[in-house]
Amino acid sequence: MAHAETHDPNTPLEYRSEIGRLNILGFWIFLGAEIALFATLFATYMVLTHRIADGPALGELFEVKSLLIQTFLLLTSSFTCGLAVHEMRRHNVKGLITWMAVTLGLGLGFLYFEIQEFLHFIHEGANIGTSAAWSGFFVLVGTHGAHVTFGIFWVTMVLIQVAKRGLTPATSAKVFITSLYWHFLDVVWIFIFTAVYLMGMVTHHG
Amino acid sequence: MANKTAANEHHGFPWKHLIGFVLSIVLTLFALWIALETDLSLTWILIIIFGFAFLQAALQLLMFMHVTENSTKSNLTSRVQIGNILFAAFVAIVIVIGSVWVMTAGHAKHDKDQHAPKTENHENHGSHGGGSEHDSGEHGSHE
């Protein structure tokens, strides 16, 4: 324990400081808690999904086109986020910032289409108070959207730090942690795609 | 750069990311196709699309999030990471399946009563809602 640490030159920068390693490990544990949070929202939604009262059925208003646009934007943003970390590990600050900027753009695009979709649902007479099913829908999908919104601000601020201070063990750990967060949002969306949209459309059409 | 040792995956072309990306798109489209374009039973559709969802989550964790990556020479941190995520997934599955089970089993009889066909007030104009295919009236017209 007391020995000075020697690093393989291939050790990524974000793992070179004790605090960086601990923060990354801690963030994985936080993601475990996030999984539990979203699980409760999914459970609520799935229990209430047929409780539509006098409002429209969920699957009735879902549209494949809007769903696919949102899904592709988020999947692609997860990919470009991965490329950003890849560039970071090659010590290419410009590549990191460029790919992260693309990621943010795709995230904003996702939010734009999600908000459009929400407005469309509300226009069609399905808002958060219409029925238990729609309450479950807006709380679950809205919580995910709020996470994306938060992620956009967070990544932006970390990028400002990288631009100002360069790549250090501290800033690279922050970038790495935001990348974990962003990929996690994509994982949650995969389950929203499946459990909310696909299931809703299948049970409605079939 | 002094890294001739160990062809590190972080140098060169990011194949791992590209493969993960392509697979995630393919799985998404395939799940959509299974759900909307096939005539499988609802049970099979659900099994397949949820199988794909978990597969894709695993893909993200392995290809993009480097969940197996260990920060030090010991494997301890990666084991803690993987164990933690697996435990969280277990908790998530128990919460969701458990809730659905408890809440639907108890209400099964109630639902049956509620969805029993209403015989009174039967009007004969077909509402184009698209939901009611249980009416067995429309068998005459083949086009």
Side-chain angles (χ1 to χ4, degrees), chain B residues 3-61:
Chain B
N3 38 46
K4 288 178 183 174
T5 54
N8 194 317
E9 63 174 86
H10 305 303
H11 299 275
F13 192 79
W15 284 111
K16 214 173 168 180
H17 291 280
L18 190 66
I19 293 167
F21 178 55
V22 171
L23 283 178
S24 68
I25 297 282
V26 169
L27 282 173
T28 299
L29 291 177
F30 205 43
L32 189 78
W33 180 75
I34 293 276
L36 299 184
E37 302 293 330
T38 60
D39 289 327
L40 294 168
S41 71
L42 183 62
T43 314
W44 274 109
I45 287 178
L46 293 185
I47 289 172
I48 293 172
I49 63 180
F50 275 98
F52 282 1
F54 279 101
L55 206 64
Q56 208 171 329
L59 206 73
Q60 291 274 332
L61 285 167

Side-chain angles (χ1 to χ4, degrees), chain A residues 183-199:
Chain A
H183 294 309
F184 172 75
L185 294 180
D186 196 49
V187 174
V188 174
W189 181 258
I190 290 163
F191 284 97
I192 291 178
F193 172 82
T194 308
V196 176
Y197 287 91
L198 286 190
M199 256 178 84

Side-chain angles (χ1 to χ4, degrees), chain A residues 13-200:
Chain A
L13 207 51
E14 63 268 24
Y15 286 119
R16 290 199 189 176
S17 69
E18 184 75 40
I19 192 80
R21 289 197 294 272
L22 278 176
N23 284 352
I24 291 167
L25 180 61
F27 197 77
W28 275 106
I29 292 167
F30 167 74
L31 285 184
E34 286 276 272
I35 290 174
L37 164 76
F38 276 103
T40 59
L41 297 179
F42 271 105
T44 312
Y45 171 79
M46 288 176 80
V47 164
L48 298 175
T49 181
H50 298 298
R51 309 284 153 190
I52 56 174
D54 295 326
L58 292 146
E60 199 176 322
L61 296 188
F62 293 160
E63 282 171 9
V64 177
K65 191 181 157 201
S66 165
L67 171 65
L68 274 184
I69 291 172
Q70 292 176 59
T71 304
F72 282 140
L73 284 172
L74 212 59
L75 283 179
T76 311
S77 81
S78 194
F79 173 57
T80 56
C81 179
L83 293 181
V85 170
H86 180 83
E87 291 302 326
M88 180 175 82
R89 290 185 167 180
R90 299 168 70 187
H91 302 281
N92 179 357
V93 179
K94 206 178 161 197
L96 161 66
I97 291 179
T98 309
W99 282 117
M100 267 305 187
V102 173
T103 305
L104 289 177
L106 292 166
L108 282 171
F110 168 82
L111 276 183
Y112 173 79
F113 283 101
E114 179 155 80
I115 291 167
Q116 288 296 316
E117 191 190 58
F118 279 11
L119 292 176
H120 171 70
F121 290 159
I122 291 165
H123 180 73
E124 296 287 327
N127 60 47
I128 195 168
T130 302
S131 63
W134 282 104
S135 301
F137 171 86
F138 279 110
V139 171
L140 169 60
V141 183
T143 304
H144 175 269
H147 273 70
V148 174
T149 312
F150 175 77
I152 288 171
F153 284 112
W154 188 16
V155 172
T156 307
M157 288 191 281
V158 169
L159 282 186
I160 291 170
Q161 282 196 4
V162 171
K164 278 189 165 173
R165 301 178 195 171
L167 270 185
T168 65
T171 52
S172 61
K174 288 176 187 179
V175 171
F176 187 74
I177 286 169
T178 54
S179 83
L180 291 181
Y181 182 81
W182 198 267
H183 294 309
F184 172 75
L185 294 180
D186 196 49
V187 174
V188 174
W189 181 258
I190 290 163
F191 284 97
I192 291 178
F193 172 82
T194 308
V196 176
Y197 287 91
L198 286 190
M199 256 178 84

Side-chain angles (χ1 to χ4, degrees), chain B residues 27-121:
Chain B
L27 282 173
T28 299
L29 291 177
F30 205 43
L32 189 78
W33 180 75
I34 293 276
L36 299 184
E37 302 293 330
T38 60
D39 289 327
L40 294 168
S41 71
L42 183 62
T43 314
W44 274 109
I45 287 178
L46 293 185
I47 289 172
I48 293 172
I49 63 180
F50 275 98
F52 282 1
F54 279 101
L55 206 64
Q56 208 171 329
L59 206 73
Q60 291 274 332
L61 285 167
L62 293 170
M63 300 297 224
F64 290 163
M65 295 168 82
H66 319 278
V67 69
T68 56
E69 205 168 63
N70 49 331
S71 56
T72 52
K73 271 132 204 159
S74 76
N75 282 322
L76 182 66
T77 47
S78 63
R79 280 190 201 144
V80 170
Q81 279 165 204
I82 295 168
N84 175 62
I85 291 298
L86 287 179
F87 178 63
F90 169 75
V91 169
I93 289 168
V94 170
I95 290 174
V96 173
I97 294 181
S99 302
V100 171
W101 184 23
V102 166
M103 295 303 287
T104 52
H107 290 284
K109 190 182 178 303
H110 173 76
D111 274 2
K112 217 168 165 184
D113 295 342
Q114 199 177 44
H115 293 312
K118 291 173 199 163
T119 43
E120 67 206 61
N121 194 16

